[in-house]
Amino acid sequence: MVRINLLPAEILERRRYERWYPAVIIPGLVLLGVVVAVWGVLSFTASSRARDLQTIEESTGKLQAQADSYRVFEVQEASLRQREQVAAAAIAGRVNMGRLAEELAVILPEEVFVKTLTASETQGLLIDGCAPRGGGASMASSFKSTAASLVRLNSLDSLYDVWLTTAEIGDYSGFQGLDEDASSTGVEVLNFTATAKIAIPSDSSSASATAAVQ
Amino acid sequence: MKLSPRNQLMLVAALFLLLVVVAVVALIVPKIAQMRQLDADIASAERQQGEAKTLLDRRKEVRDRAVQNDAELLQLAASLPDTPELPSLLVELQDRAYDDGVLIRRIEPQPPLMPAGKPYVEMSLNVVTWGSWSDSVDFVQDLQKMSRLVRVNELRSEPIDEQTRKDKEPSLGQYDVQTTMKITTYVLPASADASASAPATAPAQ
């Protein structure tokens, strides 16, 4: 049997290409579907991330609000630190004059009588003292007492550059160290003047002193 | 114009291709840009959240120390007040002198002044006491234990003139001494204008 195609050539050609339309349209639609699906996934993800962002921002806002409510404590602490710094600066190098005076009273020889004691942070120490006049080998009189006083002054950590300015025997009938009822006529004592510089404590020791006071 | 079937097929294919490209450009590209922007925003927000959390943690630690800080601040406010507070200083000086057994003969406050380059205002007082040597030493030592920050700048101890002693304080002993001190107290400069309002001359005691 012989098949005879009587259709015109142009119809045959159209039919031949018509068979290819599904091969073009179906992948095209699939491709469009994939694009739309990707868009959908991206939209979902973006929406999720936007929610995450909102959650984070809300959380940050709450944290910030809570932190702001505690700001008053930080201001209080800053005020405290400022006062501490000012206080530390104020007492930097403070000399404990009371302790110095007490140490002087303790270390000076018993027979020595201090008439005038002057202590200044800037001018140093000046002692105008008296010792009973005596002689011989006794250490508790006159220049030996003066020497002992100088040695003991020098032993104090708070003093340095101890120096004897004058030491002179004289008639000190008005000397306060004599008993009022004793006859003061012709009494001779050794009057001496000694100077020293006062060691300025380091800031750390001043600070610890402040802490101790407080 | 009549297209050949072949060209018609190619046109349909081109249309689909164009549609896909337009869809990608119109839908996917903006979403990717949006995602990138969101990622950047999230990173920034997380950084801000971390900073806020750090700030909160730090302030919580400060809050936990608040009671202690408050007590220290009160104590320091007494040591280093905002104003000269001369009346309370006088009361405390008198109390210390009474406790130590010395007699304050004279107090001469100087006007407050702020030394150049120093973070505080100084207020100096010249104080003269009469009493025994040991009591006077106790008083000088107690000055540094006062609630106010006190610095004894100068100290001079000397015998009291016998006639003056007998005339004014006959109860004092022969060996009692007159102690002259220059002491300094301090004021926080935040209210240094208190120095401006202080009288130019020392007020009568």
Side-chain angles (χ1 to χ4, degrees), chain A residues 17 43 49 59 67 70 74 76-77 83 90 92-94 102 115 117-119 121 176 178 213-214, chain B residues 6 31 39 49 58-59 63 65 69-70 75 80 82 141 144 150-151 153 155-157 159 174:
Chain A
Y17 280 107
S43 293
R49 292 197 181 174
S59 168
Y70 293 156
E74 213 170 43
Q76 178 202 42
E77 190 168 70
R83 275 185 198 266
R94 179 172 68 173
E102 189 172 34
K115 288 198 297 182
L117 168 75
T118 306
E121 285 184 334
Q176 188 189 18
L178 290 174
V213 167
Q214 292 170 0
Chain B
R6 178 176 171 271
K31 277 295 168 194
D39 285 346
Q49 188 185 36
R58 197 181 70 218
R59 288 183 175 172
R63 183 202 57 180
R65 296 194 298 266
N69 284 347
D70 202 31
Q75 204 166 27
L80 190 68
D82 296 328
Q141 285 196 314
Q144 290 193 187
V150 172
R151 185 181 191 128
N153 303 102
L155 171 74
R156 180 179 174 82
S157 190
Q174 180 191 0

Side-chain angles (χ1 to χ4, degrees), chain A residues 82-92 94 206-207 209-214, chain B residues 75-81 84-85 89 92-93 119-125 142-153 183-188:
Chain A
Q82 186 206 4
R83 275 185 198 266
E84 281 178 345
Q85 285 175 359
V86 174
I91 59 152
R94 179 172 68 173
S206 292
T210 315
V213 167
Q214 292 170 0
Chain B
Q75 204 166 27
L76 263 178
S79 306
L80 190 68
E85 291 186 11
L89 181 63
E92 196 171 358
L93 278 173
Y120 46 77
V121 174
E122 284 184 353
M123 186 177 68
S124 297
L125 296 93
D142 282 350
L143 285 177
Q144 290 193 187
K145 295 175 187 168
M146 284 172 57
S147 60
R148 291 284 290 268
L149 274 186
V150 172
R151 185 181 191 128
V152 181
N153 303 102
I183 66 175
T184 303
T185 63
Y186 302 91
V187 178
L188 199 67

Side-chain angles (χ1 to χ4, degrees), chain A residues 30-97:
Chain A
V30 167
L31 210 54
L32 272 175
V34 166
V35 169
V36 170
V38 168
W39 174 80
V41 168
L42 286 177
S43 293
F44 178 77
T45 311
S47 162
S48 171
R49 292 197 181 174
R51 278 197 305 276
D52 289 348
L53 177 62
Q54 192 179 358
T55 306
I56 292 170
E57 284 176 344
E58 283 173 4
S59 168
T60 304
K62 283 178 186 169
L63 288 172
Q64 190 66 47
Q66 203 176 355
D68 287 346
S69 69
Y70 293 156
R71 188 171 179 274
V72 62
F73 300 115
E74 213 170 43
V75 171
Q76 178 202 42
E77 190 168 70
S79 173
L80 174 65
R81 297 288 167 256
Q82 186 206 4
R83 275 185 198 266
E84 281 178 345
Q85 285 175 359
V86 174
I91 59 152
R94 179 172 68 173
V95 175
N96 190 336
M97 290 289 185

